[in-house]
């Protein structure tokens, strides 16, 4: 698997989804937002963030295709739990947290696996910084969800939360691309 192709793929996946929700699926996207759900987000993140995890795993030295496939799949599972979280809780007075807990459990596994490889492999410093910075951003998504469902301040407004998701997504993806470029793809 070529790292350069993977790095190009996750912004491209994001672009395709954003193009679709701003054109062909715009009416459905806006209708879903009014209900407090966004299945398009969860579908896009399940692919793009899973590619990001595979890139990080490869940078720390994981090269076994089966392991990379499991990292991709478990991360995608974590993200996809966001959809039932939104779907179930649009009809409840009291928040049902089980999808959040299941997703959190799945997500922690991928980060633990990559962290254990970091401890064993001693990767370059820029790879450690990528791991730390993207881990922080991935956790900010979870914190955002907690604030939204606890209805803290501006987080009561679903559309405010949607804007925060978009900003977090843009910043985390841009950060990963530039960190990888700075560390591995510079011309020699």
């Amino acid at each position: 698997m070529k790292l350069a192709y993977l790095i190009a793929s996750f912004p491209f996946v994001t672009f395709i989804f954003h193009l679709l929700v701003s054109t062909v699926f715009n009416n459905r996207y806006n209708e879903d937002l009014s209900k407090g759900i966004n299945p398009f987000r969860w579908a896009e993140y399940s692919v793009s963030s899973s590619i990001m995890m595979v890139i990080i795993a490869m940078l720390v030295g994981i090269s076994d295709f089966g392991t990379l496939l499991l990292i991709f799949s478990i991360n995608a599972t974590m993200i996809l739990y966001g959809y039932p979280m939104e779907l179930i809780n649009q009809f409840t007075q009291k928040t049902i947290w089980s999808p959040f807990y299941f997703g959190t459990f799945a997500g922690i596994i991928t980060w633990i696996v990559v962290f254990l490889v970091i401890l064993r492999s001693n990767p370059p410093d820029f790879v450690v910084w990528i791991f730390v910075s993207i881990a922080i951003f991935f956790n900010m998504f979870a914190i955002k969800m907690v604030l939204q469902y606890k209805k803290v301040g501006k987080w009561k407004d679903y559309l405010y939360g949607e804007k925060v998701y978009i900003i977090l997504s843009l910043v985390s993806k841009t950060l990963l691309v530039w960190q990888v470029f700075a560390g591995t793809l510079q011309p020699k």
Side-chain angles (χ1 to χ4, degrees):
M1 230 182 299
K2 292 264 186 198
L3 191 59
Y5 295 132
L6 284 175
I7 293 165
S9 70
F10 71 85
F12 184 72
V13 166
T14 300
F15 163 75
I16 293 297
F17 271 86
H18 283 259
L19 179 65
L20 290 172
V21 299
S22 64
T23 58
V24 178
F25 295 112
N26 189 258
N27 288 338
R28 177 161 173 217
Y29 171 71
N30 287 315
E31 190 178 303
D32 286 344
L33 289 179
S34 71
K35 297 179 205 170
I37 60 173
N38 184 357
F40 295 105
R41 177 190 335 108
W42 302 116
E44 185 262 312
Y45 287 2
S46 73
V47 177
S48 62
S49 75
S50 298
I51 294 170
M52 292 170 71
M53 276 307 301
V54 166
I55 290 168
I56 294 167
M58 290 174 69
L59 287 170
V60 302
I62 299 172
S63 60
D64 176 68
F65 181 76
T67 304
L68 294 172
L69 182 61
L70 286 170
I71 287 171
F72 182 95
S73 301
I74 292 170
N75 189 81
T77 299
M78 170 195 66
I79 297 298
L80 290 171
Y81 272 113
Y83 180 55
M85 180 73 178
E86 287 186 341
L87 194 62
I88 292 167
N89 286 301
Q90 70 176 321
F91 302 111
T92 62
Q93 292 297 319
K94 184 178 178 197
T95 301
I96 296 171
W97 287 97
S98 53
F100 180 83
Y101 298 142
F102 297 151
T104 300
F105 173 75
I108 287 172
I109 300 302
T110 58
W111 288 98
I112 290 171
V113 168
V114 173
F115 180 69
L116 291 173
V117 174
I118 287 173
L119 292 177
R120 191 178 69 222
S121 66
N122 195 27
D125 288 344
F126 84 92
V127 173
V128 174
W129 283 111
I130 287 172
F131 175 84
V132 170
S133 65
I134 301 302
I136 289 169
F137 270 95
F138 272 42
N139 281 292
M140 289 172 75
F141 283 87
I143 292 167
K144 181 255 161 252
M145 184 176 268
V146 169
L147 291 171
Q148 178 178 333
Y149 282 97
K150 291 201 176 271
K151 300 189 183 315
V152 176
K154 293 180 181 180
W155 304 102
K156 291 176 190 173
D157 179 8
Y158 183 81
L159 294 180
Y160 176 80
E162 182 66 13
K163 290 174 190 171
V164 173
Y165 272 134
I166 291 167
I167 292 167
L168 285 172
S169 176
L170 173 68
V171 174
S172 64
K173 291 169 184 168
T174 303
L175 183 64
L176 179 59
V177 168
W178 281 107
Q179 286 181 101
V180 171
F181 178 76
T184 64
L185 301 178
Q186 291 184 17
K188 298 198 184 220

